[in-house]
Amino acid sequence: MSDIQCYLLKVDDDKGGAEQIAKETARKVESKEITLINVVQSLGEYINDEDSSIRSKAVTYLSHVIITLPDTTLSRHQIQVLCQFLCDRVGDGGAILGLKRLQCLKRFNGETATMTLRALLEHFQDLMIRPHSQRLQILELLHELMQNHRTALQSLGKEAIVGITDLVSGEKDPRSLMIIFSFLHVIMVEWDIADQAETLFDSVFCYFPITFRPPPDDPYKITAQDLKARLRNCIAASSLFAPFAFPQLIEKLDSTSPNVKKDVLQTLTACASSYGTAAVSNYSVTLWDSLKYEILNVQEEDLAEEALVTLQAIATRLGKGLNSTSQTTYLATYLKPILAESKKQLQEPQHKQAKPIGQILGSLGTSSSSAFLLIVKAIVPALLTLYQDADSIASQKSLLEVLVQLCNAAVALDQMSDAKLSFSGVEHPLSSFKDRLFELFSQALMGTASEEVTFRIVALQGLLRLCQIGNYLQKSEVGMVVQYLDEIVLTADLTGRDDVRNEAIEALVTISKIKPHLIMDITFPAFMARLPDQPSEDQDSYVITLEGLARLSIERSISDTLIRRLLNKLESVLSNTGPATYAQALLSTIDYVLSRRDLSTDPNLSSYHEKIVVSFVSRAALASVNAGPQMLIEPSTLEILGRLVGRIIRALDEHRRKSVALETYTFFLEPEAPFQAVLYGQDVPEKRRYTLILSTWILASVGSAASTLYTVADDVDLDRLLNEITRLALLETVPLIRFYLLKQLALLVNRSSAPQGPNDAFRIMQDPLNAAQIVDPSPSLDATPVVFWIAKALVLRLARTEEVLNHILGLLSSKSHGLASARGFAALLAPDEVLSKENGAIIRLLARQRVFSICAPRIAKEFRAAEDFAKPHYLIALSGILKDVPTEVMMAEIDTLLPLLLQSLDLPDQDVKAATIDSLIVVCQESPVAVEGHAQSLTARLAQAAADSRKDTAKVRLNALRCLQIFPGRVKESVLLPLKANIIRGILPALDDPKRHVRKAAVECRAAWSNLGEPDADD
């Protein structure tokens, strides 16, 4: 039995086996056991069979043989003969596979390419009715021919264009359309299409606008935007399309669909950017008449923005390479009706259209220097006259906004190299108006009542733009603007709106980038003069000054100067007695400035280490024994200082960090200094114990160098240090100090590289009192925080995780420690700025998933069997874990957890309640189906939580309303409609809530539920 006979017998039932037969045939041809002629001859009776399916299978067999053959097997003559053979049988099916393979071969030439194309075009009526998978193969073949043999195909001219447009007409499948738009774009751009322009245009414009929506889980990932982009490229491909494209696109602007309008505007922009100048000019005025409606009568902001982009694209095309301001140019012709309309609209008494007119002029002004020249010449004199005659602040503000838009355009052009070339050697278009503009903006900013906030902001923006235009204002004029801004910042009223002050600071920041010396010469002295050496208790004006200085410190030269001056000021403050809040504000400002720099490459790092780390840390330690500035030992000061020194220490090299680590508890003091370390001491005074806050920050920031503390001559004694810190934490009565001791403990356990480290820590966790050698503990002593911070350190690094979690879960059933343990779970996975990756903490990626996978099932199981007093413990613990678990991890167990979450809403603990509602918000968003069975009880609890301002905190009430608002639109209406009346009635008290943001959420929630079941506006 021949190979073809075997193939025909197998192909219907076993396609893979049939292809193997074809591969075997190809092997025989390659090894010359048979010839290709033998293979073709063996098809004889089958390719002439009356049954079309047999003919198709026979040709498919040959195609599979060809596909399997190596690239170099077939000669040029054989390729030509096979190509002719397959082209003659295109109508039978199966030939396309073979032709696709042949056209990839190097010996496939232009002659065979044209033969193939003609064969496709001759059979296009048969090909169009084929199943989509076969049509897609045909289009892929056509696309590949166009890629590899476009010169040969181009020689067919009209024959190819007409045939191809016929072949692809009526196609609807998105995959096919992506291919069609691709090769048609090649024809439109590269071929002579003068005689077939309308045919080609119609072949693609029939698909406009694209309304395709991909099905869910579309394996091909083709989006509507992909199709729109390719279709847009085709429509904009040739200027010959202008007579067809512009009128039809303008007509479609009348659509009531915002999406269609947006598509039209984006396509008009593409056409204006691509078509030739003459083609665009012929329709420029008509386009303006159509587009101005979208801008002057704004219905959708995004449509107005798109229309502005289109107008700008037209002006850019018409002004390309133009250096003339003659009124006869295409650009001037286009701008003439626009400028006339602008003047007309600006003449209106209320200037209602001033804002959109300003946007139009600003957008057009950035298109080219020629356009800007024409606009300034026509508009600015009229604007200045109108401003002078304006009789109200509102009118003046509207006109100023137009001027600011023109100044924006000037700044944008100044940053464009081609525009700079156009202005070089000639006076700037705004030069003749400089004095008037400067005076006008200055008077509006400094001579207007402080209540006119928006008016002053517009004037401020105008002055800033004048400063930003290159070589426009003189140095003294920019300096005057800086003085204005300084005055605004320094005289701002802390109790009023700070909008103008914020704008002034941002303007100073912008000027600092272009004229940094003016900031250092004018602003810094003015600001520093406002910083007192010793402010009174109720004087906090320095906050504004420091905020301004901090935000100004972007440029390196400015921030270096600022840090030096702030350190000098801090020295002066510490030498006097005054409020510690002032020193804290100075330290916070220095920290903020340094946080915006890469300290590891900072040339001043060594200086910061000596002047900030060593100096202030040692003085704070001395202050704890009354031998240094007392401001430095204030708890809040120590926290800010710790954060600052930590930032600097982290940037030091390994060697210096090791030396710093040795000073963790001695604070760079000599042995003879009056300060004694807290560790291993007895009855240490409270003030000296506060230095442990600094110790924690130092220990955190030295990273792995911390091991220097407990490693002497390769002898690791971490256990002794852990026991001592545990002792201090257990005995500590000041919550803040105990909190930092717990962080120290967690840092040492988590980052320990000693093999016994996790084991020592687990031993301490199991019996903290024994580890600390506290034989007779007081009744108030609570070891739970120690247990949980050690547990946190271990589970984050996934060390003995299961044992640790089993131990702390076992505490939940305890009457004495169960509640405290339950609350401890909230800290277990919570992010911490001390125990962080930035400080070298070991935090495994899967730690959260691991904790959840162990704790959640056990909590759910033990909750059911727990005694009544212990049930809340399990709910609180679950809430503490869920708030830090990734959504996708929690959703995997939601069916088990949801009943517990519902019961958590009945707990009085407000933090637990708020965290539970946060989890429920995620559930409602991610899996609304899961809550359907609990909708009645869940919504009732949420409505109750939202309405009671005496029982529940504002955070709980707000979260409850936000969660309720999610239900409509996500959960089935059939489930919610029976609950609608009760929910609307239940949240009524929230409409009168004492907190404004809660009232706002209540209004939105009620609206969402009120619209439930109502017909849409479009119906």
Side-chain angles (χ1 to χ4, degrees):
M1 189 180 292
S2 66
D3 287 351
I4 179 60
Q5 289 173 326
C6 294
Y7 180 91
L8 293 174
L9 286 173
K10 276 205 172 223
V11 70
D12 289 330
D13 301 323
D14 183 6
K15 287 189 178 180
E19 288 179 12
Q20 283 299 122
I21 293 170
K23 288 180 181 179
E24 178 61 20
T25 305
R27 186 196 63 75
K28 293 175 183 177
V29 172
E30 186 183 357
S31 63
K32 299 185 180 179
E33 296 176 35
I34 58 174
T35 64
L36 201 57
I37 295 174
N38 298 142
V39 176
V40 175
Q41 287 175 343
S42 69
L43 304 178
E45 61 179 293
Y46 304 108
I47 57 173
N48 296 314
D49 197 284
E50 293 181 0
D51 188 340
S52 61
S53 66
I54 293 178
R55 296 200 304 272
S56 175
K57 292 171 187 175
V59 176
T60 303
Y61 164 71
L62 179 61
S63 292
H64 280 302
V65 172
I66 295 171
I67 289 170
T68 310
L69 289 172
D71 291 357
T72 56
T73 300
L74 298 176
S75 66
R76 189 180 302 277
H77 177 69
Q78 287 174 318
I79 290 173
Q80 191 167 7
V81 170
L82 285 170
C83 183
Q84 181 67 63
F85 182 85
L86 292 173
C87 286
D88 291 342
R89 287 155 182 81
V90 163
D92 289 335
I96 300 300
L97 285 173
L99 289 170
K100 283 186 69 178
R101 170 59 177 162
L102 289 175
Q103 72 83 31
C104 295
L105 302 177
K106 290 182 179 179
R107 293 168 181 162
F108 188 92
N109 56 27
E111 182 182 346
T112 45
T114 56
M115 180 199 309
T116 303
L117 178 60
R118 282 190 167 123
L120 294 175
L121 301 183
E122 286 171 9
H123 292 86
F124 86 92
Q125 290 183 334
D126 295 331
L127 299 177
M128 285 176 65
I129 61 174
R130 296 248 180 116
H132 168 256
S133 59
Q134 293 184 26
R135 294 202 313 276
L136 184 61
Q137 289 180 357
I138 295 165
L139 293 171
E140 287 172 345
L141 171 59
L142 191 53
H143 185 254
E144 290 163 5
L145 287 171
M146 195 69 70
Q147 278 186 317
N148 301 328
H149 306 282
R150 62 180 62 183
T151 304
L153 300 188
Q154 190 172 352
S155 65
L156 296 177
K158 179 180 179 180
E159 177 189 353
I161 293 173
V162 174
I164 289 173
T165 53
D166 286 341
L167 179 63
V168 302
S169 63
E171 185 57 64
K172 295 181 180 179
D173 184 84
R175 284 183 293 163
S176 298
L177 287 175
M178 290 290 285
I179 296 171
I180 290 170
F181 293 154
S182 182
F183 63 67
L184 284 181
H185 183 260
V186 172
I187 294 173
M188 293 167 175
V189 172
E190 298 183 11
W191 293 22
D192 179 5
I193 62 169
D195 295 332
Q196 287 81 39
E198 187 170 5
T199 300
L200 276 170
F201 178 80
D202 289 343
S203 70
V204 293
F205 198 77
C206 62
Y207 294 103
F208 188 91
I210 295 287
T211 56
F212 166 70
R213 285 188 181 181
D217 303 320
D218 177 21
Y220 307 111
K221 307 299 181 186
I222 296 174
T223 65
Q225 200 55 46
D226 295 332
L227 286 167
K228 287 179 180 181
R230 290 213 180 172
L231 175 57
R232 192 176 300 135
N233 287 341
C234 289
I235 295 172
S238 171
S239 297
L240 296 171
F241 295 159
F244 318 114
F246 284 133
Q248 294 190 58
L249 288 170
I250 289 171
E251 183 181 344
K252 289 185 181 291
L253 265 181
D254 294 333
S255 170
T256 57
S257 167
N259 288 333
V260 172
K261 280 192 171 187
K262 186 175 182 180
D263 206 2
V264 170
L265 291 168
Q266 291 177 343
T267 306
L268 282 171
T269 301
C271 292
S273 303
S274 178
Y275 292 170
T277 306
V280 174
S281 179
N282 288 337
Y283 295 91
S284 62
V285 175
T286 306
L287 287 167
W288 156 249
D289 289 335
S290 300
L291 293 170
K292 68 181 180 183
Y293 175 83
E294 301 296 335
I295 305 168
L296 298 178
N297 303 281
V298 181
Q299 293 179 338
E300 300 278 348
E301 285 292 340
D302 58 337
L303 293 180
E305 291 173 8
E306 289 290 350
L308 286 169
V309 172
T310 306
L311 286 177
Q312 185 185 51
I314 296 169
T316 302
R317 169 54 65 192
L318 298 180
K320 192 76 172 178
L322 186 67
N323 289 316
S324 169
T325 56
S326 169
Q327 294 298 316
T328 60
T329 62
Y330 289 141
L331 178 62
T333 303
Y334 169 57
L335 291 177
K336 185 176 180 180
I338 299 177
L339 297 175
E341 181 75 24
S342 300
K343 288 181 180 179
K344 176 184 173 184
Q345 295 289 352
L346 291 172
Q347 293 288 346
E348 293 294 324
Q350 299 303 319
H351 307 296
K352 291 181 179 179
Q353 299 290 1
K355 182 178 179 180
I357 289 297
Q359 292 172 332
I360 291 170
L361 295 174
S363 181
L364 292 172
T366 57
S367 63
S368 68
S369 55
S370 299
F372 185 72
L373 284 161
L374 289 167
I375 292 169
V376 168
K377 185 177 178 181
I379 295 295
V380 173
L383 273 174
L384 295 176
T385 303
L386 288 168
Y387 184 86
Q388 188 172 353
D389 297 338
D391 56 0
S392 69
I393 293 290
S395 297
Q396 289 180 333
K397 174 176 169 289
S398 298
L399 296 168
L400 272 191
E401 286 175 336
V402 180
L403 284 171
V404 170
Q405 289 283 4
L406 291 174
C407 291
N408 288 341
V411 173
L413 282 172
D414 192 55
Q415 295 169 351
M416 295 162 56
S417 57
D418 56 342
K420 282 183 178 179
L421 292 173
S422 299
F423 286 150
S424 61
V426 298
E427 190 178 47
H428 195 281
L430 289 174
S431 292
S432 58
F433 307 105
K434 185 184 79 169
D435 294 340
R436 183 74 184 100
L437 289 173
F438 189 84
E439 178 188 4
L440 182 149
F441 285 133
S442 298
Q443 287 179 350
L445 176 62
M446 305 305 294
T448 307
S450 58
E451 292 80 12
E452 300 293 343
V453 174
T454 56
F455 181 53
R456 296 184 71 205
I457 287 176
V458 173
L460 188 153
Q461 291 170 343
L463 278 176
L464 177 61
R465 298 299 176 265
L466 296 183
C467 295
Q468 288 179 284
I469 301 173
N471 302 318
Y472 186 66
L473 293 183
Q474 295 179 2
K475 179 181 176 181
S476 60
E477 292 169 323
V478 179
M480 192 176 298
V481 174
V482 171
Q483 290 180 44
Y484 292 158
L485 299 173
D486 291 347
E487 183 178 340
I488 290 169
V489 174
L490 295 174
T491 59
D493 182 6
L494 274 177
T495 60
R497 288 178 61 181
D498 55 2
D499 304 55
V500 180
R501 178 170 66 90
N502 285 333
E503 287 286 339
I505 292 174
E506 290 303 318
L508 286 169
V509 170
T510 302
I511 293 173
S512 73
K513 297 175 183 178
I514 51 178
K515 303 282 186 183
H517 61 282
L518 289 178
I519 300 299
M520 287 191 282
D521 294 345
I522 300 173
T523 300
F524 267 26
F527 276 48
M528 295 302 297
R530 292 296 184 102
L531 290 177
D533 288 336
Q534 187 177 357
S536 59
E537 291 288 346
D538 59 348
Q539 182 184 357
D540 57 0
S541 60
Y542 59 80
V543 173
I544 295 176
T545 307
L546 288 173
E547 180 190 348
L549 288 168
R551 289 169 64 180
L552 278 171
S553 62
I554 293 178
E555 297 299 310
R556 170 62 64 85
S557 58
I558 293 176
S559 61
D560 285 346
T561 303
L562 175 60
I563 290 171
R564 285 197 302 273
R565 295 190 181 186
L566 288 179
L567 287 173
N568 291 337
K569 179 62 67 175
L570 185 56
E571 291 291 347
S572 176
V573 170
L574 293 176
S575 64
N576 296 302
T577 56
T581 52
Y582 188 29
Q584 292 162 16
L586 289 167
L587 286 169
S588 294
T589 305
I590 295 170
D591 184 46
Y592 176 79
V593 173
L594 291 181
S595 71
R596 301 164 79 180
R597 298 170 65 161
D598 180 6
L599 288 177
S600 61
T601 60
D602 197 309
N604 298 315
L605 181 60
S606 294
S607 173
Y608 298 150
H609 176 243
E610 290 298 325
K611 292 182 179 179
I612 298 176
V613 177
V614 175
S615 174
F616 287 114
V617 167
S618 60
R619 290 160 75 183
L622 290 172
S624 72
V625 291
N626 299 317
Q630 292 304 292
M631 290 183 197
L632 288 177
I633 201 59
E634 288 283 337
S636 296
T637 307
L638 289 170
E639 288 193 279
I640 296 168
L641 179 59
R643 197 172 287 110
L644 171 59
V645 300
R647 190 180 309 284
I648 296 169
I649 293 169
R650 276 195 301 271
L652 297 173
D653 58 51
E654 180 73 13
H655 175 72
R656 284 198 287 181
R657 278 191 284 114
K658 283 185 177 180
S659 65
V660 171
L662 294 173
E663 306 291 343
T664 301
Y665 299 103
T666 53
F667 306 116
F668 309 100
L669 293 172
E670 298 296 331
E672 60 271 16
F675 177 83
Q676 291 183 347
V678 176
L679 255 60
Y680 308 109
Q682 299 295 326
D683 299 322
V684 178
E686 179 180 314
K687 187 185 286 188
R688 186 144 54 96
R689 298 202 307 274
Y690 271 116
T691 59
L692 290 168
I693 296 174
L694 282 180
S695 295
T696 304
W697 283 104
I698 294 171
L699 185 68
S701 56
V702 296
S704 59
S707 60
T708 311
L709 267 175
Y710 50 81
T711 305
V712 180
D714 296 329
D715 181 23
V716 179
D717 195 10
L718 174 62
D719 189 38
R720 179 169 177 262
L721 182 58
L722 291 176
N723 289 339
E724 172 61 10
I725 295 176
T726 301
R727 180 184 73 85
L728 292 173
L730 289 168
L731 296 175
E732 184 56 61
T733 57
V734 179
L736 182 65
I737 300 175
R738 182 170 62 246
F739 185 53
Y740 275 92
L741 281 166
L742 294 170
K743 288 175 183 278
Q744 280 193 40
L745 190 60
L747 278 167
L748 290 168
V749 171
N750 178 269
R751 296 189 312 200
S752 168
S753 58
Q756 281 299 110
N759 297 331
D760 291 341
F762 186 65
R763 174 185 52 76
I764 295 172
M765 192 187 82
Q766 288 179 303
D767 192 357
L769 297 178
N770 181 53
Q773 297 181 348
I774 299 176
V775 180
D776 188 20
S778 66
S780 61
L781 191 147
D782 182 12
T784 305
V786 171
V787 171
F788 273 85
W789 276 88
I790 293 177
K792 178 184 180 77
L794 290 172
V795 298
L796 287 179
R797 65 181 287 179
L798 293 180
R800 303 189 67 162
T801 308
E802 195 160 350
E803 295 170 273
V804 168
L805 293 175
N806 285 335
H807 179 72
I808 59 178
L809 285 167
L811 299 175
L812 294 175
S813 59
S814 166
K815 279 190 176 182
S816 56
H817 302 297
L819 182 58
S821 299
R823 290 175 176 157
F825 277 85
L828 200 61
L829 296 175
D832 186 84
E833 65 174 330
V834 172
L835 189 64
S836 65
K837 282 192 173 184
E838 189 180 32
N839 287 326
I842 303 170
I843 302 175
R844 305 296 184 196
L845 286 174
L846 296 177
R848 287 172 170 77
Q849 290 90 321
R850 180 73 171 140
V851 170
F852 177 82
S853 66
I854 293 173
C855 291
R858 182 167 166 183
I859 288 175
K861 179 182 177 181
E862 294 186 5
F863 171 82
R864 291 189 289 271
E867 295 184 46
D868 289 344
F869 80 86
K871 285 184 182 292
H873 303 168
Y874 289 93
L875 297 177
I876 293 170
L878 179 64
S879 173
I881 293 171
L882 289 183
K883 69 182 178 61
D884 297 305
V885 169
T887 300
E888 60 275 13
V889 175
M890 179 180 70
M891 294 308 298
E893 295 286 339
I894 194 57
D895 292 335
T896 304
L897 300 178
L898 195 53
L900 301 184
L901 291 174
L902 289 174
Q903 295 187 57
S904 297
L905 291 176
D906 298 329
L907 296 175
D909 190 310
Q910 295 296 293
D911 290 336
V912 172
K913 209 167 187 177
T916 299
I917 298 174
D918 280 338
S919 299
L920 288 169
I921 287 173
V922 173
V923 174
C924 293
Q925 289 173 330
E926 298 294 328
S927 180
V929 176
V931 302
E932 287 180 0
H934 306 275
Q936 183 173 358
S937 58
L938 176 55
T939 53
R941 284 178 166 94
L942 290 171
Q944 186 178 5
D948 195 342
S949 59
R950 292 169 300 177
K951 178 182 175 184
D952 293 307
T953 63
K955 183 179 181 181
V956 168
R957 302 196 303 274
L958 181 64
N959 284 4
L961 288 165
R962 287 176 175 169
C963 189
L964 275 173
Q965 188 181 342
I966 293 171
F967 278 73
R970 290 188 180 270
V971 180
K972 290 178 183 177
E973 282 195 1
S974 58
V975 175
L976 299 182
L977 281 173
L979 313 174
K980 176 178 175 179
N982 288 337
I983 297 304
I984 293 175
R985 185 165 53 250
I987 63 173
L988 279 177
L991 296 171
D992 297 319
D993 196 276
K995 298 294 184 180
R996 180 176 176 274
H997 60 290
V998 177
R999 294 196 301 272
K1000 181 175 182 291
V1003 171
E1004 293 171 353
C1005 181
R1006 183 179 65 167
W1009 279 85
S1010 297
N1011 292 331
L1012 192 66
E1014 299 296 324
D1016 293 335
D1018 295 336
D1019 290 349

